[in-house]
Amino acid sequence: MDTIIAYFQYIWGIFFNMNERFAVIYIGCTILMAYLVWLYRGKPENFIRFLVPAKVYTHRSNLLDIKIFFMMRAMAFFGLLSAVFFPTTVSYTLLEWLSGTRPEGFEQPPITWQRSLAATVIIVMASDFCKYWAHRMHHEWKVLWPFHAVHHSADVLTPLTVQRVHPVEPIIRNIFITVLVGIIQGVLLFAMIGRIDLVTIGGANAMYVLFNALGANLRHSHIWLSYGRVMEHIFISPAQHQIHHSVAIKHHDKNYGSMFAIWDWMFGTLYIPDEMEEIVYGVSDGTGKPIPQPYNTLTESVFKPFRESADAIKKQRAAKEAPESKTDTPVTPAE
């Protein structure tokens, strides 16, 4: 009983934690931005119906999102997702090694706000770079796609859809971040910082505070918000991420970025809409035609991807082991 009480206290604390996208302050910012979008569109309907349409929030897909949310939060509560997330350990191990290369050992550089700001930006960009490639791998590797398909199978998008993920996915992402961000933090500590003293707001990384306040919760929603062509080369807008969830062929494998669009721009996966587009969400058959919901229950969303991934491995092995068709004599045209 104590564990159950502690779990629900943890859930309640989410709404007051500046590191959480669902913090009350960010929800308030989301409502404000939705209100401005509603005004810009000329008040097309009652604002409450515009903000939380019943057909979206009572949809079976959203009900599954809620179940997965509580499951993923339970895993986080028991520390199951953080078991492979230890960039600090990597950074200090690297720092100790680098310090040993100097006869005089490690000397802590002076701490300035400029250095702290530089560290904040570098670490956030490194983390975002890892998220881009981890996300892209889940799309392009058939073995990993079934786990990410759980997220893309959402038929409607709500802020809770961000938590509609299979546990395997954040574990792989955390391994990436642990290695790359850990190394970068170690180099920063050694070369210019001395200690990681990030610029924070309310105890949270300042850049993530701005990201969450400026529309992060609209990324998984029915509300279209574009930043414009210039800004969408730098930052991923809610509209761009909604396009990423589209079944349309022209939208496939686009806008992998989490916070920054520069990675998509750099590696050729950027899609910038010219105008508001009608989007059908879910997974398709590869031709742009939606397929029936593959994960109707929490049990299916957890266990079915393992079977699908195993099937993908078997197919890849079979393709490699299949003998190539050969002919002993050349084929000549019939006379």
Side-chain angles (χ1 to χ4, degrees):
M1 182 59 70
D2 289 341
T3 301
I4 294 175
I5 293 174
Y7 169 69
F8 281 103
Q9 288 176 336
Y10 160 73
I11 294 293
W12 177 252
I14 289 172
F15 300 106
F16 304 96
N17 185 343
M18 292 285 285
N19 287 296
E20 294 283 355
R21 187 179 295 192
F22 304 117
V24 172
I25 187 170
Y26 302 137
I27 294 175
C29 291
T30 300
I31 294 173
L32 175 60
M33 296 188 74
Y35 181 75
L36 294 175
V37 171
W38 178 70
L39 289 178
Y40 177 77
R41 294 188 190 169
K43 304 179 182 179
E45 58 183 318
N46 176 276
F47 176 65
I48 299 301
R49 287 197 296 271
F50 174 80
L51 180 67
V52 285
K55 66 179 181 180
V56 171
Y57 283 83
T58 60
H59 196 285
R60 185 175 183 177
S61 176
N62 184 51
L63 299 181
L64 180 58
D65 286 357
I66 294 172
K67 296 176 184 177
I68 296 178
F69 169 83
F70 282 106
M71 179 194 72
M72 294 300 294
R73 288 299 174 166
M75 296 186 69
F77 174 72
F78 288 106
L80 299 179
L81 298 180
S82 59
V84 294
F85 186 70
F86 42 91
T88 301
T89 302
V90 173
S91 65
Y92 278 98
T93 299
L94 179 61
L95 175 62
E96 184 177 344
W97 179 81
L98 290 172
S99 298
T101 64
R102 286 183 175 180
E104 68 279 11
F106 176 68
E107 295 182 4
Q108 179 172 309
I111 301 298
T112 65
W113 72 266
Q114 293 95 335
R115 290 174 182 265
S116 295
L117 180 60
T120 303
V121 173
I122 291 171
I123 289 173
V124 169
M125 291 191 70
S127 177
D128 202 68
F129 181 78
C130 293
K131 292 175 182 177
Y132 170 88
W133 281 107
H135 189 180
R136 184 166 177 173
M137 282 172 50
H138 277 82
H139 275 261
E140 297 183 353
W141 293 12
K142 293 181 179 180
V143 174
L144 294 181
W145 166 248
F147 301 108
H148 189 54
V150 173
H151 182 65
H152 274 271
S153 67
D155 296 311
V156 296
L157 301 186
T158 75
L160 278 181
T161 307
V162 71
Q163 292 268 240
R164 185 192 180 106
V165 295
H166 192 281
V168 166
E169 186 175 348
I171 288 174
I172 292 175
R173 182 174 63 242
N174 285 349
I175 292 173
F176 265 70
I177 294 175
T178 289
V179 175
L180 182 58
V181 175
I183 291 173
I184 289 175
Q185 283 185 169
V187 173
L188 286 174
L189 283 167
F190 181 76
M192 59 179 288
I193 302 298
R195 72 172 187 268
I196 300 297
D197 189 14
L198 301 180
V199 178
T200 62
I201 299 175
N205 185 305
M207 290 191 67
Y208 286 119
V209 169
L210 292 175
F211 172 69
N212 288 331
L214 296 178
N217 282 319
L218 292 179
R219 291 158 58 87
H220 295 98
S221 79
H222 59 287
I223 298 175
W224 177 276
L225 175 62
S226 170
Y227 294 160
R229 290 197 64 83
V230 174
M231 291 299 294
E232 287 182 341
H233 278 84
I234 304 171
F235 300 104
I236 292 289
S237 69
Q240 284 174 291
H241 192 72
Q242 290 162 12
I243 281 171
H244 176 75
H245 277 265
S246 169
V247 300
I249 294 179
K250 65 177 181 179
H251 298 150
H252 284 183
D253 302 325
K254 301 295 183 181
N255 300 342
Y256 291 119
S258 178
M259 181 184 294
F260 295 101
I262 53 177
W263 315 125
D264 286 291
W265 191 12
M266 185 182 302
F267 298 111
T269 54
L270 183 65
Y271 182 97
I272 297 177
D274 292 320
E275 57 185 359
M276 183 174 176
E277 300 186 24
E278 292 295 328
I279 299 176
V280 175
Y281 301 117
V283 286
S284 74
D285 60 0
T287 67
K289 182 180 178 180
I291 63 175
Q293 174 57 245
Y295 311 107
N296 290 295
T297 66
L298 181 61
T299 300
E300 283 188 343
S301 70
V302 173
F303 295 105
K304 191 175 179 180
F306 285 109
R307 185 172 67 251
E308 293 172 333
S309 180
D311 290 341
I313 293 174
K314 291 178 182 178
K315 289 180 180 178
Q316 288 182 349
R317 288 179 177 175
K320 290 181 180 179
E321 295 173 357
E324 295 182 2
S325 59
K326 297 179 180 180
T327 54
D328 295 328
T329 56
V331 177
T332 56
E335 294 181 359

